[in-house]
Amino acid sequence: MVIAATATALIGAAVAVRARRQAHTAPAAALTQPPSTPEPENTPSPAEDAPAPYPPHGRRLHWLLGVLLALVVIGACTAAALMLEVPDWARWTLLGLAIAVGASMGIIILVGPMARRLAGETAPLTAAERRQMTAPERVEAVNAARNTLIQAATGLVVVGGVVFTILGLRYTADSLETSRQAQLTADQGQITDRYTKAVEQLGSAKQDVRLGGIYALQRLAADSPRDRDTIRSVLAAYVRGHDLCTPPDRKSKLPKQCTARFDQALAKIPLTRPGADVLAALTIAPTLATARGHHSIVLRSAGRADFSEIRFPRTDLSHANLQDAYLPDADLRGGDLSDAHLEGVDLTKAHLEGVDLTGSLLGGADLGGADLRGADLGGADLGDVNLGGADLGGVNLIDAYLTGADLTDAYLTDAHLTGADLAGADLAGAYLTDAHLTGANLTGANLTAVELGFVDLTGANLRHVRGKTEKEIRAMAIVDAKTRF
């Protein structure tokens, strides 16, 4: 825009000067050449006063050399910037020089021959034409030339400023990107150092050092989300390698609860509390799951703390938070899990004989095929839990919440379900022989192929049950006047 404005101003000035020159040339020629007066001997002839062809060969050669020199400079700077291995600042300087030379050449061409040709001046002024110009016209021509040069210089400065501003911004952006990459590299190096140090602490002989390493890994997982899976796996492996029945060395003897064969003998052994480091890893690892809050039936072990086959018999894990943990085939016999958070936990085929689960939260948990004989689940939340094929013989489920639970093919012989809420539960194929369901809520439950021999249903709510008619239930179970159908 600056170049265009400069060229427009120059062309206007040249056109004005040319018009005034032509206006004064004809009258002056008429007055200075009377028809009867002979020409003086020293008067130049028309051939002598005529302008030379425009542009002269010398001037044309100068223009050609100047253009070639500018093109050579532009080409050399551009090639050097693109092909040579030079620092970024040198590359941008060379490109800026090439752009500046190109802009200067363009301005010179517009100010010089292009402006004169657009104004209609195909030949330079002769000496006679210059003498015929008045003083104001000469002053105006000089001022026009000065204004043109000033505008050209201003345009060149503006163009150069824009070019170098753009180059400066680009250089700044590159510098910031380089700094950001360097910072990321430094951060990753720091995270790697922290991780290495924390893992080394896990191998310490001192429990407090190991505990510090576990909490360091927890902090690192918060600072580096992409390392959460790795840290969760490390903590889960630590628990599996430090469970109650894994000796620290070959010479160590196993605790009595690991060798007890009968539940009666196990019940006589005092409860054992895990070490602070093991308990911390056991409760921290599940919090690093990548898909917390989903049922384990769908996710299985993907993105979860893998505690499969861990052994903590007769262990005190009360109030522990194992939400969404993966614990298939775990040995937790005779343990205390009262008031524990076990939502979404996977305890398929786990050994839970005689375990205390009173007040625990097991919503959405998977206990398919688990052995829960003699377990105490009084008041436990078992909403939408999967107990398909589980052994619940003699289990205490008094006042338990089992709404929507899957109890297909479950063994509930002699189970205590007094006051339990089984609304909408699926009991298809379950064994309820001698079970106690006094005052239980079975509204909308599925009783297809259920074994109801001697089941106590006094005071139970059997409205809208499926799979069994009132007549069939009365023929097999124990009911009274308070039993509702």
Side-chain angles (χ1 to χ4, degrees):
M1 294 179 62
V2 174
I3 295 174
T6 303
T8 303
L10 179 61
I11 292 170
V15 170
V17 173
R18 184 68 177 181
R20 290 189 181 89
R21 185 186 65 186
Q22 291 176 352
H24 289 281
T25 300
L31 292 173
T32 56
Q33 295 181 1
S36 58
T37 305
E39 294 181 359
E41 294 181 359
N42 58 350
T43 300
S45 63
E48 295 176 354
D49 196 41
Y54 177 82
H57 293 293
R59 181 177 298 177
R60 183 181 301 174
L61 182 60
H62 291 164
W63 275 102
L64 181 59
L65 291 176
V67 171
L68 289 176
L69 180 60
L71 293 176
V72 169
V73 172
I74 294 173
C77 292
T78 304
L82 298 178
M83 299 176 64
L84 296 181
E85 294 293 335
V86 295
D88 289 340
W89 65 266
R91 179 176 289 105
W92 291 115
T93 301
L94 291 172
L95 290 176
L97 179 60
I99 295 173
V101 171
S104 301
M105 185 177 67
I107 292 175
I108 292 171
I109 292 175
L110 289 176
V111 170
M114 186 63 69
R116 287 196 298 269
R117 289 187 177 278
L118 291 176
E121 182 181 317
T122 59
L125 297 176
T126 63
E129 289 175 336
R130 290 192 181 92
R131 287 194 298 269
Q132 290 169 2
M133 294 177 64
T134 62
E137 289 176 345
R138 293 180 180 178
V139 173
E140 183 179 358
V142 173
N143 290 335
R146 290 174 177 173
N147 291 335
T148 301
L149 292 175
I150 292 173
Q151 291 178 0
T154 303
L156 182 60
V157 171
V158 171
V159 170
V162 170
V163 170
F164 283 101
T165 299
I166 294 173
L167 295 176
L169 292 175
R170 181 61 183 272
Y171 180 76
T172 301
D174 291 343
S175 299
L176 290 175
E177 180 63 20
T178 302
S179 300
R180 189 181 70 85
Q181 293 295 334
Q183 184 63 39
L184 288 175
T185 302
D187 291 343
Q188 289 302 317
Q190 185 181 23
I191 288 173
T192 301
D193 293 340
R194 291 169 58 188
Y195 174 79
T196 303
K197 184 177 180 181
V199 172
E200 289 176 352
Q201 288 181 272
L202 297 182
S204 174
K206 297 181 179 180
Q207 186 184 77
D208 55 346
V209 176
R210 298 195 300 270
L211 184 62
I214 291 169
Y215 285 120
L217 287 174
Q218 182 187 28
R219 176 61 183 273
L220 184 59
D223 295 340
S224 180
R226 74 174 190 173
D227 295 316
R228 287 171 64 95
D229 291 345
T230 301
I231 294 172
R232 183 186 64 247
S233 298
V234 169
L235 294 178
Y238 182 83
V239 174
R240 293 195 304 270
H242 292 77
D243 66 8
L244 194 62
C245 299
T246 299
D249 52 64
R250 296 180 179 179
K251 297 181 180 180
S252 301
K253 294 183 179 180
L254 293 176
K256 293 181 179 180
Q257 53 264 51
C258 295
T259 58
R261 296 184 178 182
F262 303 102
D263 296 339
Q264 294 83 356
L266 186 64
K268 296 178 181 180
I269 300 173
L271 287 169
T272 301
R273 188 73 173 173
D277 54 334
V278 176
L279 187 60
L282 186 65
T283 55
I284 290 173
T287 65
L288 303 179
T290 56
R292 289 178 60 79
H294 295 269
H295 292 178
S296 58
I297 298 174
V298 179
L299 294 175
R300 296 299 176 189
S301 63
R304 307 169 68 190
D306 185 2
F307 298 134
S308 56
E309 300 182 1
I310 61 169
R311 295 165 296 176
F312 285 102
R314 201 61 182 154
T315 304
D316 183 4
L317 294 172
S318 57
H319 303 281
N321 185 358
L322 298 174
Q323 184 179 356
D324 291 313
Y326 185 66
L327 290 152
D329 298 300
D331 184 1
L332 301 172
R333 294 172 299 142
D336 184 359
L337 283 164
S338 58
D339 299 311
H341 285 272
L342 300 170
E343 299 95 331
V345 71
D346 189 334
L347 284 163
T348 53
K349 299 181 180 181
H351 294 277
L352 300 167
E353 299 96 313
V355 71
D356 183 2
L357 287 162
T358 55
S360 60
L361 302 177
L362 285 150
D366 186 359
L367 291 120
D371 191 345
L372 287 151
R373 289 174 296 172
D376 188 355
L377 289 114
D381 183 356
L382 295 160
D384 297 316
V385 72
N386 176 31
L387 285 161
D391 190 345
L392 296 161
V395 71
N396 176 22
L397 285 164
I398 296 175
D399 296 323
Y401 182 78
L402 288 155
T403 299
D406 183 0
L407 289 158
T408 56
D409 299 318
Y411 291 87
L412 288 157
T413 303
D414 199 32
H416 297 271
L417 290 139
T418 302
D421 189 351
L422 289 154
D426 189 356
L427 290 152
Y431 294 87
L432 291 169
T433 304
D434 295 322
H436 304 275
L437 286 157
T438 304
N441 180 18
L442 290 158
T443 304
N446 182 13
L447 301 178
T448 302
V450 173
E451 178 61 48
L452 292 172
F454 304 102
V455 175
D456 186 357
L457 290 171
T458 56
N461 185 355
L462 296 166
R463 293 177 179 176
H464 309 296
V465 294
R466 297 167 289 149
K468 293 287 184 182
T469 64
E470 180 180 347
K471 184 178 180 180
E472 291 174 332
I473 294 173
R474 287 182 180 276
M476 293 184 290
I478 301 171
V479 297
D480 62 2
K482 293 182 179 180
T483 303
R484 288 167 287 177
F485 291 93

